């Protein structure tokens, strides 16, 4: 795609919210079928990977995420977007987004970060998890060459320029998993920070400490999908592990970068009250009471179609558990119009921000404070 | 060239669809087309053992190049041993489009040799399967190119990747045991029978990158299934009904083989083995291939795969599910050296 055509895309991005289906969903192109690019065309997206170790016999060990894949020549890592060619490890998705959209920040969801603003959102193919309930599996579970490179090469600077033209107030790495497009996300976060547009990372948090620390220097906010307070859930439903995710959340807090958490509540798998209590207890102890936790509704999808959508009553129970545990900001998600979408002052319980789906109906905050009791509300408000 | 021939003859609808490679699609996915002329995954010899042919021609090369005539003779001899006849009509369902699944990941030095592929197409022709009913395919067009094949139609034969126009993957993942993947539409919709044409080589994780491992090119997400030495995922994939139904024959190119450093090409561990292997039981074939690899490793001072913790355990898993035979006592290895 030529530069001019790329920026003309702006009109197609819409600049407004996607239909409030509840789930954060990228603009979907059928990834299957249709020729992508010839061999040489794909090479333009290759950059030598960060955080890997060369091993004997042209093998490499990736040290970007705790999976630490050992990859033989000509093979991909587990995430499918990193490739060993003759002992040099490459990311194959630098400048190769498969989806770009200008979303409300509420869609991420981030409720205490520039509410009502738009964030230019992008993803490449690939993920270092395989959640059986992934809503975006059509990009996260495919390799780049299986999804047409509809935008051609998009540099970090192009993204910043597009964000400015679109009136976005941040740039989000989202939909699939930014960990696996680390190099592209980092370069883009640097460029956007320099332009006054903070980078936002929407992630599973399954990343090694060194690359996470690099990202944290550039980011304005992070949302972590805290899938369960149960390692077995991580192993069986996501093919990951819990401990590194806990470590990442603590690092984000320590770095002072704004953090919110989402817990997708899946009937029978991670919806029991005891687990919710332990999860909330951990958040309170390690991250503090001001980190918002969103309990969101599961809808059957991908490889988990034999379970019903989460009953609203289950989510309401999670909400109560969080509040009782001492978390000041619990939310309910994927329940448009529910009272649990609103922000209320932790001091006087005054409703401060009213929302429906991804739309902010009213924001009564005054310089980040409750207009009634004057309490300072944690978050980044401007 | 058969291409012109078919175009000149008026065709009924079924024949027309067949030449487009759409007969199976037209018939639906799950029970499309006739199954290979065999019973389940087992293809026993008269005594109940699985037949595996291992035929060598020390004179198959002319200098560095593979001699086209000699490799055709070698292939015919190998098929004759494996099947009792080099006539593939006996093992392929009538009137179906035949897919030849290659493995070109390692690039030209360690991919199925071009003259071998051409010889196979010729043998198919002799069996009444015209070039227009043959699809040579790989994971992607990039892989085909790496192996020295050009995507597109050449003399009636179509060379496709799963990313070729009109190919792609099924919309929904198919679950089999612990594996869940979108299947290649070339497999599910465009062919009714498959010949698996792999390479005799080592694989850093699976132990063996020969017959069964080549089937990973049929799914969209093989990168997710290399844990635990690909066990049980390879067995899960082989167990899929559509794979069972289409897979009629496996041939291994051992003209150049590699005993270590796979799946990429490692000149230090590759050798001119000048052999082909074939069987209708892919597990038995891989079991024999494993022995060949181990023998070469021993000769070159490498430890057994077991000591590197990458013995192909998935063979046992597959055999225990009735997908083939992994015990040498139940395998009839038919060796021959051509002069
Ligand atoms: S980022 Fe990808 S290649 Fe690297 S360790 Fe994680 S899954 Fe493996």
């Amino acid at each position: 795609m030529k530069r001019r055509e790329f920026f003309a895309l702006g009109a197609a991005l819409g600049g407004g919210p996607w239909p409030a289906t509840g789930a954060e969903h990228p603009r979907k192109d059928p990834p299957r079928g249709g020729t992508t690019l010839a061999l040489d065309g794909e090479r333009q997206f290759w950059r030598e990977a960060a955080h890997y170790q060369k091993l004997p016999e042209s093998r490499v060990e990736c040290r970007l995420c705790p999976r630490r894949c050992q990859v033989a020549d000509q093979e991909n890592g587990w995430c499918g977007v990193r490739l060993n060619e003759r002992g040099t490890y490459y990311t194959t998705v630098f400048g190769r987004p498969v989806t770009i959209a200008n979303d409300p920040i509420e869609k991420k969801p981030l409720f205490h970060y520039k509410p009502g603003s738009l964030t230019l959102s992008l993803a490449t193919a690939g993920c270092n998890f395989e959640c059986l309930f992934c809503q975006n599996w059509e990009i996260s579970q495919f390799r780049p060459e299986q999804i047409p490179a509809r935008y051609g090469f998009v540099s970090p600077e192009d993204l910043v320029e597009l964000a400015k033209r679109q009136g976005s107030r941040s740039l989000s790495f989202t939909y699939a998993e930014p960990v696996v497009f680390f190099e592209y996300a980092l370069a883009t976060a640097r460029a956007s920070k320099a332009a006054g547009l903070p980078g936002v990372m929407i992630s599973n948090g399954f990343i090694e400490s060194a690359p996470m620390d690099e990202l944290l220097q550039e980011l304005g906010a992070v949302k972590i999908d805290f899938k369960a307070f149960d390692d077995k859930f991580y192993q069986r439903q996501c093919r990951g592990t819990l401990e590194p995710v806990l470590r990442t959340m603590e690092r984000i807090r320590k770095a002072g970068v704004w953090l919110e958490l989402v817990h997708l509540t899946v009937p029978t798998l991670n919806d029991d009250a005891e687990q919710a209590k332990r999860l909330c207890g951990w958040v309170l102890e390690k991250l503090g009471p001001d980190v918002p936790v969103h309990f969101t509704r599961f809808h059957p999808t991908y490889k988990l179609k034999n379970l019903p959508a989460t009953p609203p009553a289950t989510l309401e129970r999670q909400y109560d558990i969080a509040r009782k545990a001492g978390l000041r900001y619990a939310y309910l998600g994927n329940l448009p119009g529910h009272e649990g979408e609103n922000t209320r002052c932790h001091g006087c319980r005054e409703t401060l921000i009213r929302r429906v789906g991804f739309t902010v109906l009213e924001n009564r905050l005054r310089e980040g404070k409750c207009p009634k009791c004057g309490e300072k509300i944690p978050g980044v408000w401007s | 060239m058969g291409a012109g021939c078919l175009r000149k003859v008026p065709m009924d609808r079924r024949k027309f669809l067949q030449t487009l490679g759409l007969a199976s699609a037209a018939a639906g996915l799950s029970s499309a087309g006739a199954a290979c002329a065999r019973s389940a995954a087992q293809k026993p010899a008269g005594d109940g053992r699985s037949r595996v042919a291992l035929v060598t021609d020390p004179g198959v090369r002319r200098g560095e190049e593979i001699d086209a005539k000699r490799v055709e003779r070698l292939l015919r001899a190998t098929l004759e041993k494996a099947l009792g006849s080099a006539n593939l009509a006996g093992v392929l369902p009538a009137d179906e489009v035949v897919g030849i699944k290659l493995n070109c990941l390692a690039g030209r030095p360690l991919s199925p040799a071009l003259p071998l592929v051409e010889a196979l197409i010729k043998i198919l022709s002799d069996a009444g399967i015209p070039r227009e009913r043959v699809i040579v395919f790989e994971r992607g067009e990039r892989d085909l190119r790496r192996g020295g094949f050009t995507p597109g139609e050449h003399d009636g034969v179509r060379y496709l990747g799963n990313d070729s126009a009109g190919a792609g993957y099924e919309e929904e993942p198919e679950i089999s045991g612990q594996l869940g993947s979108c299947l290649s539409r070339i497999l599910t919709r465009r062919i009714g029978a498959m010949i698996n044409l792999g390479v005799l080589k080592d694989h850093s994780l699976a132990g063996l990158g020969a017959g069964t491992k080549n089937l990973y090119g049929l799914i969209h997400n093989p990168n997710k299934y290399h844990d635990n030495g690909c066990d049980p995922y390879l067995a899960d994939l082989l167990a899929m009904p559509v794979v069972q139904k289409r897979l009629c024959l496996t041939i291994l190119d051992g003209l150049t083989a590699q005993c270590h450093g796979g799946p990429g090409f490692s000149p230090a561990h590759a050798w001119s083995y000048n052999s082909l292997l074939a069987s209708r039981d892919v597990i038995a074939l891989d079991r024999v291939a494993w022995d060949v690899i181990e023998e070469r490793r021993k000769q070159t001072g490498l430890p057994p795969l077991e000591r590197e913790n990458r013995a192909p355990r998935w063979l046992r898993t597959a055999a225990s599910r009735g997908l083939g035979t992994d015990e040498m006592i139940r395998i009839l290895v038919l060796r021959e050296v051509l002069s």
Side-chain angles (χ1 to χ4, degrees):
Chain A
M1 189 179 284
K2 291 200 186 90
R3 226 178 126 73
R4 194 152 17 107
E5 289 168 355
F6 174 71
F7 289 119
L9 245 185
L13 295 180
W18 291 92
T21 55
E24 192 195 20
H25 216 95
R27 179 183 297 267
K28 286 212 293 184
D29 265 348
R32 299 170 290 273
T35 303
T36 54
L37 290 167
L39 171 60
D40 290 339
E42 281 295 332
R43 273 201 97 105
Q44 67 183 304
F45 308 114
W46 293 23
R47 296 289 182 280
E48 184 167 3
H51 301 285
Y52 81 96
Q53 182 77 37
K54 290 185 189 257
L55 300 177
E57 297 179 324
S58 298
R59 293 162 57 79
V60 299
E61 181 178 283
C62 180
R63 297 192 173 164
L64 182 53
C65 93
R67 204 172 284 283
R68 291 207 166 206
C69 296
Q70 291 205 359
V71 186
D73 180 26
Q74 301 304 326
E75 290 276 67
N76 288 105
W78 201 88
C79 54
V81 302
R82 310 175 86 74
L83 176 80
N84 177 358
E85 194 176 68
R86 299 193 192 100
T88 301
Y89 208 36
Y90 293 94
T91 167
T92 60
V93 290
F94 192 99
R96 196 191 191 289
V98 292
T99 184
I100 305 175
N102 204 18
D103 287 341
I105 193 83
E106 282 73 19
K107 192 176 169 187
K108 303 299 112 189
L110 284 170
F111 279 10
H112 289 227
Y113 192 79
K114 301 177 184 281
S117 70
L118 292 169
T119 183
L120 192 81
S121 306
L122 68 131
T124 73
C127 185
N128 56 351
F129 271 11
E130 190 198 7
C131 300
L132 301 184
F133 44 82
C134 183
Q135 294 167 351
N136 295 326
W137 69 276
E138 286 161 303
I139 55 174
S140 71
Q141 299 305 318
F142 278 79
R143 292 194 307 274
E145 69 272 19
Q146 294 167 328
I147 307 180
R150 59 191 298 228
Y151 309 106
F153 181 83
V154 182
S155 72
E157 292 72 27
D158 288 341
L159 288 167
V160 173
E161 180 63 29
L162 184 64
K164 280 192 200 158
R165 291 184 190 203
Q166 287 292 302
S168 321
R169 288 179 52 211
S170 58
L171 229 141
S172 290
F173 315 113
T174 179
Y175 305 131
E177 181 47 62
V179 170
V180 308
F181 62 91
F182 171 81
E183 296 81 359
Y184 188 39
L186 183 65
T188 304
R190 278 191 184 132
S192 64
K193 186 182 175 188
L197 297 172
V200 171
M201 180 184 187
I202 311 302
S203 173
N204 61 20
F206 197 67
I207 181 170
E208 289 287 7
S209 301
M212 190 67 212
D213 288 349
E214 279 183 61
L215 280 168
L216 285 171
Q217 304 220 340
E218 313 298 336
L219 295 173
V222 181
K223 187 215 84 179
I224 296 290
D225 283 307
F226 193 170
K227 302 192 186 264
F229 198 65
D230 175 7
D231 191 55
K232 279 203 182 75
F233 182 95
Y234 269 87
Q235 288 182 39
R236 289 180 190 158
Q237 312 301 327
C238 308
R239 301 179 73 188
T241 54
L242 169 63
E243 197 279 328
V245 180
L246 299 179
R247 203 172 59 212
T248 300
M249 289 189 280
E250 290 186 73
R251 288 189 98 73
I252 297 166
R253 268 311 256 175
K254 271 199 196 110
V257 172
W258 183 251
L259 171 66
E260 299 194 23
L261 309 177
V262 166
H263 179 275
L264 183 80
T265 303
V266 186
T268 73
L269 297 181
N270 65 356
D271 64 342
D272 68 287
E274 282 314 307
Q275 192 189 130
K277 280 181 198 162
R278 281 187 283 121
L279 183 147
C280 294
W282 184 90
V283 172
L284 186 69
E285 186 194 333
K286 303 288 185 184
L287 310 177
D290 291 340
V291 172
V293 181
H294 305 246
F295 295 97
T296 62
R297 189 176 199 204
F298 158 86
H299 292 278
T301 185
Y302 190 36
K303 293 182 181 175
L304 212 51
K305 290 190 174 152
N306 58 345
L307 291 175
T310 319
T314 305
L315 296 168
E316 286 160 355
R317 188 185 66 198
Q318 311 265 51
Y319 179 95
D320 290 342
I321 289 169
R323 293 281 305 138
K324 275 190 197 132
L327 299 183
R328 290 171 168 170
Y329 295 95
Y331 292 100
L332 300 189
N334 293 351
L335 284 177
H338 194 285
E339 162 66 24
E341 291 186 311
N342 297 336
T343 299
R344 297 173 77 183
C345 172
H346 65 261
C348 66
R349 303 302 291 155
E350 180 75 356
T351 298
L352 302 174
I353 303 176
R354 285 197 306 121
R355 302 178 182 87
V356 171
F358 309 135
T359 307
V360 172
L361 300 178
E362 186 184 17
N363 181 350
R364 300 179 55 228
L365 279 171
R366 297 279 172 271
E367 292 171 349
K369 291 181 184 158
C370 171
K372 190 172 164 204
C373 71
E375 189 73 41
K376 192 168 182 298
I377 309 300
V380 177
W381 303 110
S382 56
Chain B
M1 296 204 331
C5 164
L6 263 189
R7 285 193 193 112
K8 281 174 203 153
V9 178
M11 283 179 280
D12 63 24
R13 182 172 159 75
R14 179 158 177 83
K15 279 218 176 93
F16 174 70
L17 290 174
Q18 283 162 2
T19 58
L20 292 176
L22 294 173
S24 300
L29 205 161
S30 57
S31 56
C36 291
R38 63 186 168 98
S39 61
Q42 310 286 344
K43 308 92 191 174
D47 58 4
R49 289 182 289 172
S50 285
R51 293 168 76 113
V52 175
L54 199 178
V55 183
T56 306
D57 179 0
V60 75
R61 285 165 202 273
R62 187 174 294 173
E64 285 300 295
E65 298 298 310
I66 300 296
D67 183 299
K69 283 212 174 85
R70 293 290 289 246
V71 85
E72 185 186 330
R73 187 181 72 133
L74 175 59
L75 180 58
R76 285 185 191 277
T78 310
L79 295 175
E80 179 119 20
K81 282 248 177 283
L83 311 171
S85 158
N87 185 352
L88 289 174
V91 295
L92 297 170
D95 300 332
E96 291 289 353
V97 172
V98 175
I100 301 174
K101 168 66 178 73
L102 304 181
N103 181 347
C104 301
L105 179 140
R108 201 150 174 183
L110 197 62
S111 295
L114 272 67
L116 173 64
V117 175
E118 202 43 59
L120 180 57
I121 294 166
K122 193 163 173 220
I123 291 171
L124 285 169
S125 243
D126 293 349
I129 298 151
R131 299 175 70 90
E132 288 73 13
R133 262 179 39 211
V134 176
I135 293 177
V136 176
F137 70 108
E138 238 297 29
R139 190 177 62 163
E141 291 194 353
R142 180 170 168 239
D143 298 271
L144 276 179
R145 286 197 187 91
R146 276 203 292 215
F149 301 88
T150 308
E153 186 186 322
H154 307 290
D155 295 340
V157 177
R158 272 151 299 153
Y159 291 79
L160 301 177
N162 289 319
D163 55 349
S164 297
Y169 295 91
E170 289 297 335
E171 289 290 319
E172 293 293 326
E174 183 111 345
I175 311 289
S176 172
Q178 293 182 40
L179 181 132
S181 304
C182 299
L183 288 165
S184 154
R185 280 194 194 146
I186 298 174
L187 173 78
T188 57
R189 298 181 185 221
R190 301 195 66 170
I191 62 172
M194 179 170 68
I195 297 175
N196 177 16
L197 177 46
V199 176
L200 176 60
K201 65 176 177 178
D202 166 85
H203 189 282
S204 65
L205 298 171
L208 197 62
T212 316
K213 184 68 177 56
N214 190 30
L215 302 177
Y216 266 13
L218 302 174
I219 58 176
H220 84 283
N221 56 354
N223 45 300
K224 303 277 172 175
Y225 296 113
H226 282 78
D227 299 346
N228 196 40
C230 302
D231 186 30
Y233 311 115
L234 280 169
D236 289 339
L237 175 56
L238 184 58
M240 281 192 177
V242 67
V243 175
Q244 282 291 296
K245 191 162 208 154
R246 305 279 196 271
L247 179 60
C248 297
L249 173 68
T250 302
I251 300 169
L252 293 183
D253 180 340
L255 300 169
T256 301
Q258 186 172 303
C259 66
H260 190 76
F265 178 53
S266 169
H269 305 291
W271 83 103
S272 295
Y273 189 47
N274 300 327
S275 304
L276 298 179
L277 294 89
S279 180
R280 303 185 69 197
D281 179 344
V282 64
I283 296 301
L285 183 70
D286 276 343
R287 179 65 190 82
V288 174
W290 180 15
D291 270 5
V292 174
I293 295 281
E294 291 286 20
E295 203 178 301
R296 179 69 183 179
R297 289 177 66 85
K298 200 170 167 187
Q299 284 168 9
T300 54
L302 290 164
L305 290 174
E306 185 66 67
R307 217 180 305 152
E308 292 184 353
N309 197 26
R310 55 192 190 92
R313 293 183 301 275
W314 45 267
L315 282 171
R316 183 83 286 271
T317 306
S320 70
R321 294 187 194 169
L323 298 168
T325 311
D326 74 328
E327 295 168 274
M328 286 308 286
I329 198 165
R330 294 179 198 280
I331 300 172
L332 178 64
V333 185
L334 297 150
R335 291 174 193 261
E336 188 181 353
V337 179
L338 303 182
S339 52

mmCIF file of all heavy atoms in Angstrom, chain A residues 328-347:
data_model
loop_
_atom_site.group_PDB
_atom_site.id
_atom_site.type_symbol
_atom_site.label_atom_id
_atom_site.label_comp_id
_atom_site.label_asym_id
_atom_site.label_seq_id
_atom_site.Cartn_x
_atom_site.Cartn_y
_atom_site.Cartn_z
ATOM 1 N N ARG A 328 -11.248 -0.927 45.306
ATOM 2 C CA ARG A 328 -12.100 0.266 45.202
ATOM 3 C C ARG A 328 -12.816 0.374 43.863
ATOM 4 O O ARG A 328 -13.837 1.049 43.760
ATOM 5 C CB ARG A 328 -11.229 1.501 45.411
ATOM 6 C CG ARG A 328 -10.752 1.630 46.840
ATOM 7 C CD ARG A 328 -9.723 2.723 46.942
ATOM 8 N NE ARG A 328 -9.450 3.051 48.331
ATOM 9 C CZ ARG A 328 -8.456 3.839 48.712
ATOM 10 N NH1 ARG A 328 -7.654 4.365 47.807
ATOM 11 N NH2 ARG A 328 -8.273 4.107 49.981
ATOM 12 N N TYR A 329 -12.206 -0.246 42.841
ATOM 13 C CA TYR A 329 -12.790 -0.076 41.503
ATOM 14 C C TYR A 329 -12.983 -1.408 40.800
ATOM 15 O O TYR A 329 -12.085 -1.903 40.140
ATOM 16 C CB TYR A 329 -11.935 0.891 40.675
ATOM 17 C CG TYR A 329 -11.988 2.254 41.286
ATOM 18 C CD1 TYR A 329 -11.000 2.674 42.184
ATOM 19 C CD2 TYR A 329 -13.072 3.091 41.057
ATOM 20 C CE1 TYR A 329 -11.091 3.896 42.815
ATOM 21 C CE2 TYR A 329 -13.172 4.319 41.679
ATOM 22 C CZ TYR A 329 -12.189 4.713 42.560
ATOM 23 O OH TYR A 329 -12.306 5.913 43.184
ATOM 24 N N ALA A 330 -14.153 -1.979 41.014
ATOM 25 C CA ALA A 330 -14.529 -3.200 40.292
ATOM 26 C C ALA A 330 -15.519 -2.799 39.198
ATOM 27 O O ALA A 330 -16.305 -1.849 39.365
ATOM 28 C CB ALA A 330 -15.169 -4.199 41.246
ATOM 29 N N TYR A 331 -15.456 -3.496 38.086
ATOM 30 C CA TYR A 331 -16.361 -3.207 36.969
ATOM 31 C C TYR A 331 -16.894 -4.506 36.382
ATOM 32 O O TYR A 331 -16.278 -5.563 36.534
ATOM 33 C CB TYR A 331 -15.626 -2.436 35.860
ATOM 34 C CG TYR A 331 -15.229 -1.039 36.282
ATOM 35 C CD1 TYR A 331 -13.923 -0.766 36.685
ATOM 36 C CD2 TYR A 331 -16.164 -0.009 36.285
ATOM 37 C CE1 TYR A 331 -13.549 0.509 37.077
ATOM 38 C CE2 TYR A 331 -15.802 1.284 36.680
ATOM 39 C CZ TYR A 331 -14.496 1.528 37.075
ATOM 40 O OH TYR A 331 -14.146 2.790 37.473
ATOM 41 N N LEU A 332 -18.012 -4.387 35.706
ATOM 42 C CA LEU A 332 -18.537 -5.513 34.942
ATOM 43 C C LEU A 332 -18.418 -5.181 33.457
ATOM 44 O O LEU A 332 -18.667 -4.042 33.052
ATOM 45 C CB LEU A 332 -20.001 -5.784 35.300
ATOM 46 C CG LEU A 332 -20.259 -6.132 36.773
ATOM 47 C CD1 LEU A 332 -21.700 -6.600 36.953
ATOM 48 C CD2 LEU A 332 -19.299 -7.214 37.265
ATOM 49 N N GLY A 333 -18.052 -6.165 32.678
ATOM 50 C CA GLY A 333 -17.851 -5.933 31.248
ATOM 51 C C GLY A 333 -18.667 -6.874 30.397
ATOM 52 O O GLY A 333 -19.069 -7.955 30.844
ATOM 53 N N ASN A 334 -18.871 -6.479 29.150
ATOM 54 C CA ASN A 334 -19.700 -7.226 28.193
ATOM 55 C C ASN A 334 -21.150 -7.341 28.675
ATOM 56 O O ASN A 334 -21.848 -8.288 28.333
ATOM 57 C CB ASN A 334 -19.148 -8.638 27.931
ATOM 58 C CG ASN A 334 -17.822 -8.614 27.203
ATOM 59 O OD1 ASN A 334 -17.392 -7.557 26.748
ATOM 60 N ND2 ASN A 334 -17.184 -9.759 27.095
ATOM 61 N N LEU A 335 -21.568 -6.369 29.479
ATOM 62 C CA LEU A 335 -22.970 -6.276 29.911
ATOM 63 C C LEU A 335 -23.416 -4.833 29.687
ATOM 64 O O LEU A 335 -23.576 -4.063 30.635
ATOM 65 C CB LEU A 335 -23.094 -6.608 31.404
ATOM 66 C CG LEU A 335 -23.011 -8.058 31.860
ATOM 67 C CD1 LEU A 335 -23.084 -8.140 33.388
ATOM 68 C CD2 LEU A 335 -24.132 -8.886 31.246
ATOM 69 N N PRO A 336 -23.591 -4.434 28.423
ATOM 70 C CA PRO A 336 -23.874 -3.024 28.131
ATOM 71 C C PRO A 336 -25.114 -2.532 28.882
ATOM 72 O O PRO A 336 -26.138 -3.204 28.891
ATOM 73 C CB PRO A 336 -24.105 -2.996 26.618
ATOM 74 C CG PRO A 336 -23.535 -4.275 26.107
ATOM 75 C CD PRO A 336 -23.566 -5.261 27.220
ATOM 76 N N GLY A 337 -24.970 -1.381 29.509
ATOM 77 C CA GLY A 337 -26.090 -0.774 30.218
ATOM 78 C C GLY A 337 -26.160 -1.161 31.683
ATOM 79 O O GLY A 337 -26.964 -0.618 32.444
ATOM 80 N N HIS A 338 -25.299 -2.065 32.108
ATOM 81 C CA HIS A 338 -25.315 -2.479 33.523
ATOM 82 C C HIS A 338 -24.673 -1.395 34.385
ATOM 83 O O HIS A 338 -23.709 -0.743 33.981
ATOM 84 C CB HIS A 338 -24.541 -3.793 33.667
ATOM 85 C CG HIS A 338 -24.775 -4.484 34.982
ATOM 86 N ND1 HIS A 338 -24.214 -4.038 36.156
ATOM 87 C CD2 HIS A 338 -25.517 -5.580 35.304
ATOM 88 C CE1 HIS A 338 -24.599 -4.832 37.146
ATOM 89 N NE2 HIS A 338 -25.392 -5.778 36.657
ATOM 90 N N GLU A 339 -25.208 -1.238 35.561
ATOM 91 C CA GLU A 339 -24.693 -0.261 36.526
ATOM 92 C C GLU A 339 -23.196 -0.496 36.820
ATOM 93 O O GLU A 339 -22.440 0.442 37.094
ATOM 94 C CB GLU A 339 -25.548 -0.385 37.805
ATOM 95 C CG GLU A 339 -24.981 0.186 39.087
ATOM 96 C CD GLU A 339 -24.840 1.706 39.069
ATOM 97 O OE1 GLU A 339 -25.558 2.362 38.292
ATOM 98 O OE2 GLU A 339 -23.988 2.204 39.827
ATOM 99 N N GLY A 340 -22.778 -1.752 36.687
ATOM 100 C CA GLY A 340 -21.386 -2.101 36.957
ATOM 101 C C GLY A 340 -20.403 -1.546 35.951
ATOM 102 O O GLY A 340 -19.189 -1.744 36.090
ATOM 103 N N GLU A 341 -20.888 -0.845 34.934
ATOM 104 C CA GLU A 341 -19.980 -0.200 33.975
ATOM 105 C C GLU A 341 -19.581 1.197 34.439
ATOM 106 O O GLU A 341 -18.678 1.805 33.858
ATOM 107 C CB GLU A 341 -20.667 -0.038 32.615
ATOM 108 C CG GLU A 341 -20.916 -1.334 31.890
ATOM 109 C CD GLU A 341 -21.458 -1.092 30.489
ATOM 110 O OE1 GLU A 341 -22.420 -0.305 30.356
ATOM 111 O OE2 GLU A 341 -20.931 -1.667 29.546
ATOM 112 N N ASN A 342 -20.271 1.708 35.443
ATOM 113 C CA ASN A 342 -20.042 3.096 35.855
ATOM 114 C C ASN A 342 -18.931 3.205 36.890
ATOM 115 O O ASN A 342 -18.677 2.278 37.657
ATOM 116 C CB ASN A 342 -21.335 3.679 36.451
ATOM 117 C CG ASN A 342 -22.447 3.714 35.419
ATOM 118 O OD1 ASN A 342 -22.166 3.739 34.205
ATOM 119 N ND2 ASN A 342 -23.681 3.692 35.877
ATOM 120 N N THR A 343 -18.297 4.369 36.912
ATOM 121 C CA THR A 343 -17.270 4.638 37.918
ATOM 122 C C THR A 343 -17.911 5.410 39.069
ATOM 123 O O THR A 343 -18.581 6.428 38.840
ATOM 124 C CB THR A 343 -16.128 5.482 37.315
ATOM 125 O OG1 THR A 343 -15.546 4.737 36.242
ATOM 126 C CG2 THR A 343 -15.069 5.801 38.354
ATOM 127 N N ARG A 344 -17.689 4.880 40.255
ATOM 128 C CA ARG A 344 -18.238 5.578 41.431
ATOM 129 C C ARG A 344 -17.099 5.913 42.375
ATOM 130 O O ARG A 344 -16.120 5.177 42.481
ATOM 131 C CB ARG A 344 -19.267 4.690 42.130
ATOM 132 C CG ARG A 344 -20.450 4.404 41.216
ATOM 133 C CD ARG A 344 -21.387 3.406 41.818
ATOM 134 N NE ARG A 344 -22.223 4.001 42.857
ATOM 135 C CZ ARG A 344 -23.102 3.317 43.576
ATOM 136 N NH1 ARG A 344 -23.258 2.022 43.368
ATOM 137 N NH2 ARG A 344 -23.816 3.908 44.505
ATOM 138 N N CYS A 345 -17.227 7.032 43.050
ATOM 139 C CA CYS A 345 -16.199 7.489 43.979
ATOM 140 C C CYS A 345 -16.012 6.458 45.097
ATOM 141 O O CYS A 345 -16.991 5.964 45.671
ATOM 142 C CB CYS A 345 -16.624 8.833 44.572
ATOM 143 S SG CYS A 345 -15.536 9.388 45.902
ATOM 144 N N HIS A 346 -14.764 6.116 45.384
ATOM 145 C CA HIS A 346 -14.552 5.121 46.432
ATOM 146 C C HIS A 346 -14.800 5.718 47.818
ATOM 147 O O HIS A 346 -14.948 4.988 48.794
ATOM 148 C CB HIS A 346 -13.136 4.534 46.354
ATOM 149 C CG HIS A 346 -12.036 5.513 46.620
ATOM 150 N ND1 HIS A 346 -11.326 6.130 45.602
ATOM 151 C CD2 HIS A 346 -11.511 5.999 47.772
ATOM 152 C CE1 HIS A 346 -10.418 6.934 46.127
ATOM 153 N NE2 HIS A 346 -10.522 6.884 47.437
ATOM 154 N N GLY A 347 -14.840 7.049 47.861
ATOM 155 C CA GLY A 347 -15.101 7.674 49.156
ATOM 156 C C GLY A 347 -16.588 7.758 49.465
ATOM 157 O O GLY A 347 -17.064 7.184 50.449
#
